[in-house]
Amino acid sequence: MPHTHIPQRGKVIVGMSGGVDSAVAAYLLREAGLEVVGVTLRTWTETDNRCCEIGRAQETARQLGIRYYPHNMLPAFRERVVMPFCAEYLRGHTPNPCVECNRYVKWTGLINLADTLSADYVATGHYARIVALADGRLCVGAAADERKDQSYMLYRLTKDQLARTILPLGELTKEQVREIARKANLAVRDAADSQEICFVGEGDYASFVQNMTKNTDAFTAGNFVDEGGNIVGRHCGIARYTVGQRKGLNLALGRPVYVKKICAATNEVVIADDADLYASEIFCRRLSFASVDTPKENGEFRALVRIRYHHKGEYALVKQKEKDLAQIVFDSPVRAPAPGQSAVFYDENSRVLGGGIIV
């Protein structure tokens, strides 16, 4: 069944965050004639000041005349998202928690609820498409709205998860979604977009990591060094820096400098000029190829590769070196690839082939 269109019948569990996107997703599915059940996957405690999200989702469900349930996912969220996020920062890496959350918390939770409630599908307000390939397999495709496209965040979804998923906003722009919400007079029509890392809140991520782990090593002062190993200043702990960072270094070197590498073993942060941040190749592990066969060892293919969420992508040759190791050789160097981020592979039609975690 092509998932680029909304089915005409069936029961669907919609993940509702309290924002306009998920509200419009639920509205469109209800208007299409499906039986819609709204669910908020609760991943926070009362002290996180996010309880208003349930209130907004409840109000939307009331307006739409659909059933609604909050569902506790806090233990799974802590285990699969929060603690791995903290562990990566302690290693000097820059993780993307949304990638892990989508596969292991959101979709797992929604599909489990769908099974419990005898629902056929799950749906969210993500801006992406699900496309049926010629061989019958499903893949994630980029959204019509390039500015809001979230296909990068969904590359780790499995084929079984994709088979149960509807993404109603894939063909719409953000402006169109807002207009639908206004015409439907939804209470959340003017709600602000959610922040990128939902669980960090208004504080900085470094303080969050320190509070969660009580770690001292990654927050111990050490040396800024240049690529020759020369000490050029003192840093405030490796967990406070990310590759490509310029602001907050407090280095008076007479020119702009950036973080090129973070060395947890020696508690050093390597700085360099902007021109030195570019790399012609990277390596990835934790590979995911839900929509295509995993390449055989020494196999290779060409793809457009995005190395961060807002990266436009660069064409590259992806080489399978081992079962879970890929080498990506770019046609043109890419700026500041960061260990812990995802490299996502797209075909010429903006469909996700797979991806992995940069190492």
Side-chain angles (χ1 to χ4, degrees):
M1 180 184 67
H3 283 237
T4 49
H5 301 291
I6 296 174
Q8 298 302 304
R9 61 177 61 88
K11 184 176 181 180
V12 58
I13 306 297
V14 181
M16 300 182 68
S17 65
V20 65
D21 295 330
S22 58
V24 169
Y27 170 78
L28 292 174
L29 293 169
R30 190 205 66 174
E31 290 298 287
L34 279 77
E35 180 184 351
V36 178
V37 178
V39 169
T40 298
L41 300 178
R42 186 170 181 173
T43 58
W44 65 92
T45 65
E46 288 80 356
T47 58
D48 293 331
N49 298 319
R50 291 179 58 204
C51 292
C52 58
E53 295 181 11
I54 287 180
R56 292 197 301 265
Q58 283 178 321
E59 174 59 18
T60 298
R62 186 197 64 77
Q63 282 189 284
L64 297 178
I66 63 175
R67 285 187 290 160
Y68 171 80
Y69 305 100
H71 183 65
N72 180 30
M73 292 292 291
L74 189 58
F77 187 72
R78 179 185 174 89
E79 177 186 354
R80 301 307 302 254
V81 179
V82 175
M83 297 317 296
F85 171 89
C86 294
E88 284 293 280
Y89 264 111
L90 296 182
R91 296 173 61 196
H93 292 178
T94 307
N96 191 320
C98 297
V99 167
E100 304 298 328
C101 182
N102 285 331
R103 175 172 175 175
Y104 295 110
V105 179
K106 287 183 180 177
W107 260 259
T108 296
L110 289 174
I111 288 176
N112 285 343
L113 283 169
D115 291 340
T116 299
L117 299 173
S118 300
D120 307 285
Y121 309 104
V122 300
T124 70
H126 283 87
Y127 287 83
R129 296 179 173 111
I130 294 183
V131 182
L133 302 175
D135 62 4
R137 282 189 275 197
L138 300 173
C139 73
V140 177
D145 190 339
E146 294 183 2
R147 298 167 303 165
K148 299 297 293 183
D149 173 46
Q150 293 172 297
S151 59
Y152 175 96
M153 301 294 192
L154 304 180
Y155 82 94
R156 297 192 74 83
L157 297 185
T158 68
K159 61 182 180 180
D160 291 336
Q161 289 173 328
L162 294 176
R164 301 279 296 276
T165 300
I166 307 170
L167 298 177
L169 308 189
E171 308 290 344
L172 303 174
T173 65
K174 183 71 177 193
E175 290 75 17
Q176 289 172 321
V177 168
R178 290 279 188 194
E179 184 60 24
I180 291 170
R182 292 188 187 104
K183 288 183 177 180
N185 199 32
L186 297 179
V188 295
R189 57 191 176 274
D190 296 317
D193 290 344
S194 59
Q195 60 189 33
E196 198 161 326
I197 302 179
C198 64
F199 56 88
V200 172
E202 297 181 359
D204 65 281
Y205 71 87
S207 296
F208 176 85
V209 171
Q210 190 171 27
N211 290 336
M212 287 296 297
T213 64
K214 309 303 180 185
N215 179 282
T216 56
D217 292 342
F219 296 91
T220 300
N223 291 325
F224 281 117
V225 298
D226 63 21
E227 293 188 272
N230 302 301
I231 298 173
V232 296
R234 296 284 286 174
H235 67 68
C236 300
I238 61 168
R240 299 187 184 277
Y241 304 92
T242 59
V243 171
Q245 179 177 336
R246 174 186 173 184
K247 294 182 179 179
L249 303 185
N250 297 319
L251 291 172
L253 300 180
R255 68 187 194 282
V257 291
Y258 304 80
V259 174
K260 181 173 183 179
K261 186 178 180 181
I262 299 171
C263 304
T266 59
N267 195 27
E268 292 177 325
V269 176
V270 180
I271 59 97
D273 296 332
D274 182 76
D276 297 321
L277 298 182
Y278 287 81
S280 296
E281 69 175 23
I282 58 174
F283 289 85
C284 292
R285 292 194 182 275
R286 293 190 62 209
L287 302 173
S288 174
F289 293 97
S291 62
V292 295
D293 292 332
T294 301
K296 295 181 180 179
E297 191 168 323
N298 298 319
E300 58 186 44
F301 61 92
R302 285 189 58 78
L304 180 76
V305 180
R306 293 169 59 183
I307 62 167
R308 62 181 64 88
Y309 178 32
H310 294 297
H311 183 219
K312 290 293 185 181
E314 182 62 56
Y315 282 99
L317 187 64
V318 181
K319 302 179 180 180
Q320 190 81 8
K321 307 300 288 185
E322 300 171 5
K323 182 179 180 180
D324 190 38
L325 178 66
Q327 177 188 25
I328 295 91
V329 182
F330 294 97
D331 292 0
S332 298
V334 293
R335 186 182 184 279
Q341 288 283 294
S342 291
V344 181
F345 318 140
Y346 291 79
D347 68 10
E348 66 279 6
N349 296 311
S350 298
R351 299 177 300 199
V352 174
L353 300 170
I357 307 297
I358 299 171
V359 295

